[in-house]
Amino acid sequence: NAGVTQTPKFRVLKTGQSMTLLCAQDMNHEYMYWYRQDPGMGLRLIHYSVGEGTTAKGEVPDGYNVSRLKKQNFLLGLESAAPSQTSVYFCASRSYLGTGNGLYEQYFGPGTRLTVT
Amino acid sequence: SQQGEEDPQALSIQEGENATMNCSYKTSINNLQWYRQNSGRGLVHLILIRSNEREKHSGRLRVTLDTSKKSSSLLITASRAADTASYFCATGIQGAQKLVFGQGTRLTINP
């Protein structure tokens, strides 16, 4: 049981390049999330998904796109990378516990450190 | 804006001492959670306290919640070097599908 895994662990991009970050979970979780973490800013939600084929915007969605074609995978895409997207990206997942009562814990991946030059 | 704000931003204590971190939030919540993040790693869930609970324990961790003051505290007793990490509070709101995280407290335990 690997939990939540992220690929790649590190990446350096030039401004304008594109890339896709892959998140995979083997816990059969319905919900998946993408966050970015910057110094002094804590975790900020980029996009999330409440099930296969669905996505929704979070707090800072601009410049990112996501897809959830399979339940176990959640992809985060940067179409034209900018230096402002230099950050550590975390994926998380959680199970569905009925109503949106917040009574769940999130499981996080190890992170992807992205540098855009 | 973020829901939770931790205080202090950084805390440095000697091994064996107790560490207390605080979290304040703005809106009514259903529950509050604490997570730990070791350097270079993802967040790990520590403990969840429901809005109708006032105190909860888990090993050396003690969490309190005061909904009237919209605040929570995390106490780590008898600290160890391995407790060195950043600690985040996260709030769950009824009807919401996502947690909202604070900015974290960076805890350093000196041997």
Side-chain angles (χ1 to χ4, degrees), chain A:
Chain A
N1 193 339
V4 180
T5 58
Q6 293 183 232
T7 309
K9 288 185 170 52
F10 303 93
R11 186 71 187 269
V12 178
L13 286 179
K14 293 188 188 309
T15 297
Q17 287 185 320
S18 63
M19 77 163 294
T20 300
L21 282 67
L22 171 64
C23 175
Q25 52 92 7
D26 60 3
M27 297 172 282
N28 201 35
H29 284 169
E30 292 288 342
Y31 290 69
M32 296 186 74
Y33 305 84
W34 275 109
Y35 296 90
R36 60 177 290 173
Q37 185 177 37
D38 303 292
M41 300 292 290
L43 283 173
R44 292 185 291 171
L45 182 64
I46 304 171
H47 286 280
Y48 65 102
S49 169
V50 301
E52 184 178 317
T54 71
T55 63
K57 294 180 180 179
E59 184 184 354
V60 288
D62 294 342
Y64 305 94
N65 57 75
V66 288
S67 65
R68 183 98 181 267
L69 299 180
K70 293 182 179 180
K71 185 177 183 179
Q72 64 268 34
N73 296 337
F74 195 27
L75 279 63
L76 178 70
L78 287 72
E79 290 186 346
S80 179
S84 61
Q85 294 177 304
T86 293
S87 187
V88 181
Y89 292 85
F90 287 99
C91 176
S93 72
R94 70 152 173 108
S95 60
Y96 174 70
L97 290 175
T99 60
N101 56 19
L103 292 173
Y104 53 82
E105 64 176 278
Q106 288 187 184
Y107 296 81
F108 283 81
T112 294
R113 185 173 296 274
L114 175 66
T115 301
V116 183
T117 61

Side-chain angles (χ1 to χ4, degrees), chain B residues 47-108:
Chain B
I47 194 166
L48 180 154
I49 185 166
R50 300 180 184 219
S51 59
N52 61 355
E53 297 176 314
R54 292 296 167 258
E55 187 171 311
K56 200 161 184 179
H57 296 256
S58 177
R60 294 184 296 113
L61 304 180
R62 172 177 169 251
V63 170
T64 61
L65 179 65
D66 186 336
T67 53
S68 66
K69 295 182 179 179
K70 291 187 170 57
S71 67
S72 173
S73 67
L74 171 67
L75 169 67
I76 303 174
T77 60
S79 64
R80 306 167 181 169
D83 294 328
T84 293
S86 291
Y87 292 81
F88 294 85
C89 67
T91 50
I93 300 171
Q94 183 73 29
Q97 295 165 328
K98 51 193 184 294
L99 296 175
V100 180
F101 287 82
Q103 296 178 337
T105 291
R106 190 170 65 252
L107 175 65
T108 302

